[in-house]
Amino acid sequence: MNNTWTLLFLTTAGMGLVVQNMIMVRITQSASTILIAMLLNSLVGIVLFTGILLTKNGLAGVQELFATVRWWTLIPGLLGSFFVFASINGYQHVGAATTIAVLVASQLIGGLVMDIARSHGVSVRALIGPGIGAILLVVGAWLVARRQF
């Protein structure tokens, strides 16, 4: 897949995330707990991916799934569930724009830290552009978060 398609997919996924979270907020408002929306979200993913795995690999895929499980392989699911919970909570209490701004800024900071840690000695000069971009994004997130409608 080339970079154009990758960027198109990322853009579409970002917009889809806004729609997903707005619908999940609506589910939460009509249910007794946020857990209903989170479980519905997870259930759809489990059914979808189980169906794809069975179609693609049959029962051997399910056997491989169980053979792959280790304690640390559950961490992404925990982090993903926390992300969904925090997003829904953010949409409800501070709005979509503030939630997205803070999430994106924090993801960029975390991504830069990970990239630097994995680069094994990146020069200070190479960090100037990304550093300025991160600062601008954090300032932008702060400006969005402090707005009053």
Side-chain angles (χ1 to χ4, degrees):
M1 179 179 302
N2 66 31
N3 287 345
T4 301
W5 281 106
T6 299
L7 293 174
L8 181 62
F9 280 174
L10 289 170
T11 301
T12 304
M15 290 178 183
L17 186 62
V18 173
V19 173
Q20 173 200 20
N21 284 334
M22 294 305 290
I23 294 169
M24 290 180 73
V25 166
R26 177 67 184 103
I27 294 167
T28 299
Q29 291 170 340
S30 64
S32 64
T33 175
I34 193 172
L35 295 174
I36 301 297
M38 293 184 66
L39 284 167
L40 285 170
N41 180 62
S42 297
L43 180 62
V44 169
I46 289 169
V47 169
L48 175 67
F49 294 127
T50 300
I52 292 170
L53 182 65
L54 286 170
T55 300
K56 188 175 177 185
N57 297 77
L59 290 178
V62 175
Q63 290 172 335
E64 181 181 354
L65 169 66
F66 286 114
T68 304
V69 174
R70 307 284 183 275
W71 72 266
W72 57 269
T73 61
L74 304 178
I75 294 172
L78 291 171
L79 292 172
S81 294
F82 177 67
F83 181 89
V84 170
F85 174 81
S87 295
I88 296 169
N89 193 49
Y91 272 60
Q92 286 181 305
H93 298 286
V94 296
T98 298
T99 299
I100 293 165
V102 172
L103 286 172
V104 169
S106 62
Q107 286 176 315
L108 177 63
I109 299 297
L112 284 172
V113 168
M114 286 296 233
D115 285 349
I116 291 167
R118 294 177 47 205
S119 70
H120 307 294
V122 64
S123 71
V124 172
R125 186 172 190 187
L127 293 175
I128 292 172
I132 291 171
I135 290 167
L136 290 172
L137 189 59
V138 168
V139 169
W142 178 76
L143 289 171
V144 169
R146 66 183 287 273
R147 64 130 168 71
Q148 298 292 320
F149 284 117

